[in-house]
Amino acid sequence: MSTQDLVPSPVGPVDVEQAEAALVERYPRLVRIAYLVLPPAMPRTRRVLTAHALVQRALPRRRVPGPAVPEARRPEDAVDPGYAYVRGEVLRQALVAGLPLRRFALPRRAQLPPLLPQVWGLRLFPRAGGADELALDQLLAGLSAPARAAYVLRGLERQGDAEVLRVLAAAGAADPRAALEELAALEEDEEAPGPTGRVAEQTGPGRVAEQAGPGRVGEQTGPRRVAEQAGPGRVAEQAGPGRASVSPPAPSPAATTRLGGASLLESPEFDPCALQARPGDLLRRRQHGRAVLVGAVALLVCGALLGLPGDGWGRNGAAAPSYARNPAAEAALDPANVRRVAPAVWPGAVRRDFSVWPARGELAGDAPLLRRALAVWARPGGAVESSATPGTPVGPPMGPPQLLFAGQVDAARVVLFHDGLRIVRYAEPVEGTAGAALDFARADGAEGPGASAVVVTRAAGNVRYLTAPWVTGTAVRDLLMPGKEPWALRRDARGVTDAVPSPALAKECARWNTLQVADGSGGRLLGDLGELVPARLLWGPPGAPVDATGREARAVWARTACQLTTVLGQGVGSVRAWRFARQSLPEGAGRAAWVCTRAETWRGTGSRVLAQFLPPDPKVPASLAARAQDAPACGVREPRVLAGALWQAPAGGWYVLAAGGPDVASVRVEGGVTARAEGPVLAAEAEAGARAELSAALEDGRRLPALG
């Protein structure tokens, strides 16, 4: 077959609307394909923006005609024609972008930095992956652009070699067969029998593998699976539904091509739609800002702003221009109509929630400030930094909102509103007129402890809270130090606390500070999870949770607190931990515990459930054994839970461990290991790498699947 024969089998004409629908529906996947095919040597920020630009330029300008006489369709042609066309255009441009620029040749459009999208002042890049993703990235860096495209088509798009050849030829690859031969040669050159060693060195008997020591439980990556293990005393990452397996050593690049498949290509390392933001070169920006031309422009702008009434901000501050003249909407944006609750209301109120918070702060009567805050809320301009927790509407106020606070905190003027559904925070710098910020957080249903505090500012890794009027005392407790007494946290006359280091802003889990408040009926523990309203930390079974201030609760939270990083910024209102089972380990290795942690959101959906294994050593952190999203397990609707793991005893023996809640009558494991135990726990001998299916029978005869 010649290269000219390698054309994709046309399946009919493609309309612009059909291609647009395919692009919008599969946009994240198309951007991932472009990101993987682009040269890895390209800076990651430019690579991300170029991938988005290539996909956005892939739409045809007019209808793409099909063949006069369509050929018979083959099995590999079962792809939406609109998606097939857009994917081909993305690959064609990505291959062109990888070509080197020549001195005397005009560059092609795909070889130039994209005009759109553009991001100023930030560096955007995907989240970092593990050793497997790093090995795959190194592998892609050593491949040619057509070979990278072939690898992506085979691994991510699951195309056969014949379809890969046709797509590459249609995308303009000079020699598609050479690309496949390059992949085959790489696998043959680097293929070598790998050791069957351990993922992490053993640091002590009876630790679990993911914690880099024997006897620890690894993270679950599939439902109801007990993960592979790599060393004595380790419990490894789950690998499939209810199955047990052994974690392999760090893969070579060739092993990545053979074994990674779509699981690595679909990892966050190569997801240019889920990005992290970091500042650019701040020193260079500052030096450029001191240049003569920029200084002259700044003087002109400052002179114009100083001529405006007020403190330099315009009437509506950083808000966008008004686009409608609606009387009701204008009344909601009038600072004179903002609702203010008197300080004498809350002591006699039936409910203790945000609706009875008095208006506090020395700027509560500053009408220009409130006008700017309301205008930015209704029409945030392009220069406004805006954020919202998942499930929170970001529209304008439906009526005059309630003012909670207006005052200067650190170097910013802060205004807090409440409209019955949301907490809205507006902040602007004290000096200058740039850098306004607007944050939304859902807080419907917050009452009592859930309405005890609101975040006022976050800066330099610290957080300040505005506490409810009924809070009588505040303190800071480090969850990772359960035996240490909390230290007092001072508040000013407005109810604003001193700054305290926030775990939501920390890079490592070295400490986990929480806010402990006293309200006359007991102590409450609140954790900053990166949102305006801190989450309430609880302890106990689903039907009767209590605040996590007791000794037993603190001891368990100290070993599980670092797992809270998995729910940062998810709109979580409360997190409850519950020790649902205890288990005596085989070979006299001690007594372990199983803990279920459930994070509930304000919006009701999006809850997360984590099953964690606590080894006998109280100094060893908990290890993740299973996880689930939007699952009823360990909740009020379904208080039961079942989880398992593959564990290696200090003496070297392998076992399948499983545990369920109090209502579990028996536990069964099938597959690579077959065993059954009466009661809520099971420990069965197994071989390294064994795979097993877990299930349980409840006392009423119903079946309970494993979490996942």
Side-chain angles (χ1 to χ4, degrees):
M1 180 182 296
S2 67
T3 303
Q4 294 178 349
D5 297 328
L6 297 175
V7 294
S9 300
V11 295
V14 178
D15 292 325
V16 177
E17 294 80 6
Q18 185 179 8
E20 181 186 18
L23 187 149
V24 173
E25 181 180 2
R26 308 298 296 277
Y27 184 84
R29 191 172 191 87
L30 291 168
V31 178
R32 187 187 291 266
I33 292 174
Y35 182 85
L36 288 165
V37 177
L38 286 172
M42 184 182 296
R44 298 181 72 189
T45 298
R46 179 182 170 187
R47 189 175 166 195
V48 165
L49 296 180
T50 302
H52 283 271
L54 296 184
V55 175
Q56 294 175 15
R57 294 202 301 254
L59 277 181
R61 296 184 180 274
R62 61 184 63 86
R63 178 182 176 91
V64 179
V69 180
E71 301 175 6
R73 295 185 63 178
R74 296 183 293 272
E76 58 267 28
D77 293 333
V79 179
D80 175 64
Y83 174 71
Y85 173 83
V86 176
R87 182 184 64 186
E89 284 297 299
V90 170
L91 288 173
R92 181 182 63 79
Q93 296 184 71
L95 293 176
V96 172
L99 297 177
L101 292 172
R102 302 192 180 278
R103 180 175 300 178
F104 300 105
L106 289 176
R108 301 171 68 175
R109 184 182 182 186
Q111 294 177 284
L112 298 175
L115 296 178
L116 291 174
Q118 289 289 346
V119 177
W120 296 86
L122 287 176
R123 294 168 53 245
L124 302 178
F125 49 89
R127 296 184 179 276
D132 292 344
E133 288 83 356
L134 178 60
L136 178 56
D137 195 54
Q138 294 173 348
L139 166 72
L140 294 175
L143 295 177
S144 64
R148 289 194 299 271
Y151 180 80
V152 172
L153 289 171
R154 288 202 314 186
L156 188 63
E157 294 294 275
R158 296 176 175 87
Q159 299 290 334
D161 287 353
E163 181 69 5
V164 170
L165 291 173
R166 283 191 289 272
V167 174
L168 289 181
D175 192 350
R177 289 192 178 279
L180 291 180
E181 292 172 0
E182 185 178 349
L183 290 182
L186 180 66
E187 292 185 3
E188 293 174 0
D189 291 342
E190 299 218 18
E191 185 173 11
T196 59
R198 302 184 170 104
V199 173
E201 296 181 1
Q202 180 177 0
T203 59
R207 291 179 178 259
V208 181
E210 183 184 85
Q211 300 290 343
R216 303 193 182 183
V217 178
E219 181 178 354
Q220 178 185 13
T221 61
R224 297 178 294 175
R225 291 182 180 270
V226 182
E228 295 182 357
Q229 198 53 12
R234 305 181 186 180
V235 178
E237 182 179 1
Q238 289 189 334
R243 299 182 179 275
S245 56
V246 175
S247 297
S252 68
T256 301
T257 63
R258 297 190 305 273
L259 303 177
S263 62
L264 288 181
L265 292 173
E266 294 176 351
S267 65
E269 172 78 13
F270 307 106
D271 185 6
C273 289
L275 302 173
Q276 298 185 100
R278 293 294 185 272
D281 192 335
L282 301 180
L283 288 179
R284 179 178 299 176
R285 188 191 306 172
R286 181 179 298 174
Q287 293 168 357
H288 289 177
R290 294 172 180 171
V292 176
L293 180 60
V294 176
V297 174
L299 288 176
L300 292 175
V301 173
C302 291
L305 292 176
L306 289 175
L308 295 174
D311 55 2
W313 290 84
R315 175 179 175 85
N316 293 330
S322 177
Y323 53 85
R325 307 295 291 181
N326 181 280
E330 291 183 351
L333 303 181
D334 187 348
N337 296 331
V338 170
R339 292 187 295 110
R340 293 172 170 84
V341 177
V345 171
W346 73 264
V350 176
R351 292 169 54 90
R352 286 192 171 183
D353 55 15
F354 291 117
S355 66
V356 298
W357 274 36
R360 288 175 286 178
E362 71 280 8
L363 300 179
D366 189 338
L369 172 63
L370 298 183
R371 185 183 302 278
R372 291 195 299 271
L374 292 168
V376 172
W377 179 359
R379 305 181 307 277
V384 177
E385 298 181 6
S386 182
S387 69
T389 56
T392 304
V394 294
M398 295 173 288
Q402 174 190 352
L403 177 64
L404 302 181
F405 177 85
Q408 180 175 331
V409 182
D410 296 330
R413 287 185 286 260
V414 180
V415 181
L416 291 173
F417 293 112
H418 177 243
D419 67 351
L421 174 68
R422 301 166 292 180
I423 296 291
V424 181
R425 174 184 175 272
Y426 169 80
E428 65 181 33
V430 174
E431 300 294 337
T433 59
L438 187 66
D439 303 299
F440 296 87
R442 192 165 172 176
D444 49 321
E447 184 178 5
S452 295
V454 174
V455 171
V456 178
T457 61
R458 283 195 184 89
N462 297 324
V463 61
R464 292 179 185 268
Y465 299 95
L466 174 68
T467 57
W470 55 81
V471 170
T472 59
T474 55
V476 179
R477 179 181 290 278
D478 187 353
L479 285 184
L480 302 185
M481 303 181 67
K484 182 179 179 180
E485 291 297 322
W487 61 93
L489 184 62
R490 192 184 67 86
R491 294 183 296 165
D492 60 20
R494 304 170 299 175
V496 177
T497 69
D498 286 347
V500 59
S502 169
L505 304 176
K507 296 181 179 179
E508 299 179 355
C509 187
R511 57 183 176 180
W512 199 280
N513 291 330
T514 58
L515 176 66
Q516 183 167 314
V517 300
D519 58 6
S521 60
R524 316 293 184 186
L525 208 58
L526 307 175
D528 180 19
L529 298 183
E531 303 166 15
L532 290 181
V533 183
R536 187 181 179 188
L537 304 183
L538 302 171
W539 166 257
V546 296
D547 289 279
T549 55
R551 177 180 300 179
E552 182 182 21
R554 298 199 309 269
V556 173
W557 269 107
R559 304 174 68 181
T560 61
C562 290
Q563 297 292 348
L564 289 175
T565 56
T566 61
V567 296
L568 291 178
Q570 299 301 313
V572 174
S574 65
V575 185
R576 178 180 47 78
W578 172 40
R579 186 179 58 209
F580 64 90
R582 289 182 178 271
Q583 184 174 20
S584 297
L585 298 178
E587 302 184 13
R591 190 167 176 81
W594 295 83
V595 173
C596 177
T597 303
R598 184 178 179 88
E600 299 282 3
T601 66
W602 291 105
R603 62 189 182 276
T605 60
S607 60
R608 295 194 178 188
V609 183
L610 307 177
Q612 302 177 73
F613 176 84
L614 276 65
D617 188 352
K619 297 181 180 180
V620 177
S623 299
L624 190 60
R627 70 168 65 183
Q629 180 87 12
D630 281 320
C634 203
V636 176
R637 215 162 37 115
E638 178 52 79
R640 305 166 186 83
V641 62
L642 174 67
L646 187 64
W647 179 80
Q648 188 177 19
W654 288 91
Y655 295 87
V656 170
L657 303 180
D663 294 341
V664 172
S666 63
V667 180
R668 178 186 296 274
V669 58
E670 297 174 325
V673 179
T674 302
R676 184 178 182 276
E678 297 293 333
V681 296
L682 175 144
E685 294 186 5
E687 297 292 335
R691 297 176 178 272
E693 298 260 354
L694 294 177
S695 64
L698 302 176
E699 293 179 353
D700 58 7
R702 290 183 297 155
R703 305 295 295 175
L704 178 66
L707 181 68

